[in-house]
Amino acid sequence: MTKPPPKPKSTVRQPDIHDPPARWCGELHISERTLARLFRRGTGLSFSQWRQRACVLHSLHHLAAGLPVARIAALLGYDNPAAYTSAFGRLLGRPPTAYRNAPDPDSAAAPARDSGSQ
């Protein structure tokens, strides 16, 4: 069984939505095809799907600390706050402001199960 290569530390500590797979490949000394295969095998996600999730999940501590959504979007490399808000909503089912304003952040971060009726 092949052990997956370690993750580049800079992306894990400070993810960026535009971090290219080629940079990872250079750090890990593997091809982009190998990186794609290892990501799919290890996570069930493509590199870009994983990168987007890493950014959104990394943003949770910034939201809890009270940083403005626009600042968080910029920190993570999103082109604008709407792009970040959209990615956050797709992953967690609610906008970032709902997470920040919830009395229990864990309940706000859980994907919405509502069928849309309100």
Side-chain angles (χ1 to χ4, degrees):
M1 180 159 28
T2 306
K3 182 179 174 184
K7 298 178 199 110
K9 291 178 183 177
S10 61
T11 298
V12 174
R13 288 188 185 136
Q14 182 61 44
D16 184 315
I17 196 63
H18 296 296
D19 190 19
R23 189 186 67 75
W24 282 52
C25 293
E27 281 190 39
L28 300 172
H29 307 289
I30 59 175
S31 70
E32 287 193 42
R33 189 172 182 163
T34 298
L35 179 71
R37 189 176 60 251
L38 290 172
F39 256 93
R40 182 70 64 187
R41 184 184 314 146
T43 67
L45 303 169
S46 69
F47 176 82
S48 63
Q49 290 169 323
W50 178 88
R51 179 183 58 202
Q52 185 176 56
R53 288 178 184 211
C55 285
V56 169
L57 295 176
H58 182 77
S59 76
L60 294 176
H61 83 273
H62 291 307
L63 286 167
L67 262 63
V69 169
R71 178 71 181 128
I72 296 169
L75 284 171
L76 296 174
Y78 283 91
D79 294 331
N80 56 62
Y84 162 69
T85 298
S86 177
F88 191 101
R90 277 193 309 274
L91 181 62
L92 299 180
R94 298 173 188 201
T97 52
Y99 173 83
R100 176 182 294 139
N101 298 331
D104 178 6
D106 291 332
S107 67
R113 299 285 183 224
D114 188 18
S115 60
S117 59
Q118 284 186 322

